[in-house]
Amino acid sequence: MTSTSTTRDSTGSSNPEFVNARVRSRRAALFDDEDYRKLVRMGPGGIARFMEESEYEAEINALASRHDGVDLIEYALNRNLAKHFDDLLRWSEGDLNEQIAKYLRRYDAWNVKTAIRGVYSGSSPEEIRDDLILAGELDDAVLDRIVEADSIEAIVEALEATMFGEPLEGSYDQFESQNVLVPLENAVDRAFYSELLADVDTAGHSEGPLALYEEFLVAEIDFLNARNALRVARSGAEIDPEDYVIEGGELFSADELRGVGSDPDQLVELLRDSEYGEELSAPLDQLREADSLIEFEHALDAALLEYTDHLSNVYPVSITAVMSYVLAKTREVENIRAIARGKEVGLDQQQIEEELVIL
């Protein structure tokens, strides 16, 4: 997937009705919660056979002669995800194509953070590469450099000419002094959302599809800020919330995030009393019942998915339906990957289920 896919047609026209009809068909083929419950009872071979009987058939068949077990599942998932997102760009035209391409740069952010986490934890280049999602715009040469980097500083240098370069350079000293990844990961997210919101901020739309597009992005940022507040609180690092809040959100002030960091129940109440509360009653109950940070983060992910699904139904011819599908498809891939990896390392069914984002 390259930036050439983002070229606007000469008229700037879009085709949301056509694209969203295709997306609805793809959305209907996603695995549901019952499918995940079946998968957690299978070994890697059974998972691969289950995938072969689903819309992953082409990828499993194409890769089965070279890979097996968890490797086969991993490569099939990554190839299938890239295919689906390439289809979104192939189907779309004009402004819609450009908006989708910009949104899919989230996987550039994903890949940069994956490389940073991998180097930080001592993972091999092969392990890092397996976790990449090849659906963004960073070219192969840059991805190779960050995967093969022997230090986080080398990753920062490799990304100097990208939109992540300056933010990462600005946060590197804080990373070195605190030895936590939050400043770097936050810099990556800030770069992505700053780029994504640049056009929206100046549009001045108060209703219609563009207003809903902005509402979708604001919700993502609000939930990301909540997650970051929790991570910083658990890390023990001396970082002020104002230093890592992603601009563009509306729900949290720095003072509120300080409170969230010390009391997760306060986060639940902030969400319940917010514009998200009406649509998120059940997910917010799951948030309150979460016993660990990872469970809390998964419940946050489920709440965001629930809310973005709601937005995609409010104005079905807007890009929000596409964005909601992107999140849902990514959730499917991450869930299947978590099940396969859990089986590989011998986790029991309950432990694996705790790694899943299930609505």
Side-chain angles (χ1 to χ4, degrees):
M1 188 174 299
T2 66
S3 58
T4 57
S5 299
T6 69
T7 303
R8 233 183 248 239
D9 67 17
S10 59
T11 64
S13 62
S14 298
N15 57 340
E17 294 88 352
F18 172 79
V19 174
N20 287 344
R22 293 292 188 95
V23 164
R24 283 194 295 273
S25 174
R26 292 285 175 93
R27 187 72 185 257
L30 293 177
F31 286 11
D32 59 24
D33 293 348
E34 182 57 33
D35 290 324
Y36 297 133
R37 294 186 179 96
K38 292 177 183 176
L39 290 175
V40 297
R41 296 192 291 269
M42 302 176 183
I47 294 171
R49 286 190 293 274
F50 189 91
M51 292 172 63
E52 188 179 10
E53 296 173 0
S54 72
E55 64 97 25
Y56 291 93
E57 178 184 6
E59 288 77 20
I60 292 291
N61 288 337
L63 294 164
S65 63
R66 302 194 303 277
H67 305 285
D68 59 15
V70 174
D71 285 344
L72 173 60
I73 295 167
E74 293 265 10
Y75 287 120
L77 289 171
N78 288 343
R79 180 179 289 192
N80 180 269
L81 189 67
K83 178 187 75 175
H84 279 268
F85 293 165
D86 276 333
D87 285 346
L88 293 177
L89 292 172
R90 183 169 53 83
W91 296 334
S92 59
E93 299 173 355
D95 291 343
L96 180 63
N97 176 275
E98 185 167 314
Q99 286 179 320
I100 292 172
K102 284 184 176 180
Y103 190 67
L104 290 178
R105 290 176 190 166
R106 65 187 296 110
Y107 297 103
D108 289 329
W110 168 285
N111 290 337
V112 170
K113 289 188 288 186
T114 295
I116 289 172
R117 292 168 188 162
V119 169
Y120 183 79
S121 63
S123 300
S124 69
E126 291 75 20
E127 289 171 326
I128 296 171
R129 195 179 300 278
D130 284 345
D131 283 339
L132 299 184
I133 295 177
L134 303 180
E137 293 188 347
L138 290 178
D139 62 36
D140 291 344
V142 172
L143 291 175
D144 286 342
R145 288 183 66 191
I146 65 175
V147 166
E148 300 289 340
D150 58 4
S151 68
I152 290 178
E153 185 176 14
I155 294 176
V156 174
E157 291 174 357
L159 295 165
E160 182 179 9
T162 72
M163 68 176 178
F164 305 110
E166 187 174 337
L168 281 172
E169 186 177 352
S171 64
Y172 186 76
D173 287 345
Q174 193 174 25
F175 156 71
E176 279 201 312
S177 64
Q178 298 281 353
N179 196 33
V180 293
L181 295 181
V182 172
L184 294 174
E185 294 184 344
N186 179 254
V188 173
D189 289 329
R190 278 185 169 180
F192 167 67
Y193 284 105
S194 175
E195 181 94 358
L196 201 58
L197 287 170
D199 295 334
V200 176
D201 286 342
T202 59
H205 298 279
S206 59
E207 59 183 19
L210 288 179
L212 210 61
Y213 173 53
E214 181 175 6
E215 186 176 345
F216 190 110
L217 298 181
V218 166
E220 273 202 309
I221 294 169
D222 279 336
F223 279 74
L224 181 58
N225 281 334
R227 175 183 287 107
N228 284 345
L230 292 166
R231 286 181 174 176
V232 168
R234 297 296 178 92
S235 74
E238 296 181 2
I239 303 175
D240 189 277
E242 289 186 271
D243 293 337
Y244 64 82
V245 169
I246 307 294
E247 294 184 3
E250 296 180 351
L251 183 56
F252 303 110
S253 68
D255 286 340
E256 286 170 328
L257 284 170
R258 289 187 188 98
V260 166
S262 60
D263 181 9
D265 284 345
Q266 187 172 337
L267 168 60
V268 177
E269 293 311 310
L270 280 171
L271 289 170
R272 199 181 297 280
D273 294 338
S274 73
E275 62 187 280
Y276 308 117
E278 184 176 347
E279 301 298 327
L280 296 180
S281 178
L284 289 176
D285 289 341
Q286 293 176 2
L287 277 175
R288 185 178 291 284
E289 295 166 6
D291 294 327
S292 65
L293 179 59
I294 189 66
E295 285 183 32
F296 206 93
E297 290 192 359
H298 287 336
L300 268 179
D301 289 339
L304 177 61
L305 282 165
E306 191 89 11
Y307 185 72
T308 54
D309 282 349
H310 159 71
L311 289 182
S312 69
N313 292 324
V314 169
Y315 208 109
V317 296
S318 74
I319 190 179
T320 56
V322 176
M323 295 161 73
S324 180
Y325 167 72
V326 168
L327 293 183
K329 179 64 180 178
T330 304
R331 167 213 178 206
E332 175 182 87
V333 167
E334 291 178 355
N335 279 347
I336 298 171
R337 178 182 285 123
I339 294 169
R341 289 182 174 178
K343 289 293 184 178
E344 184 179 39
V345 300
L347 298 183
D348 62 34
Q349 184 172 329
Q350 181 178 348
Q351 289 172 311
I352 293 173
E353 288 178 349
E354 289 173 356
E355 295 294 320
L356 308 183
V357 177
I358 296 179
L359 298 181

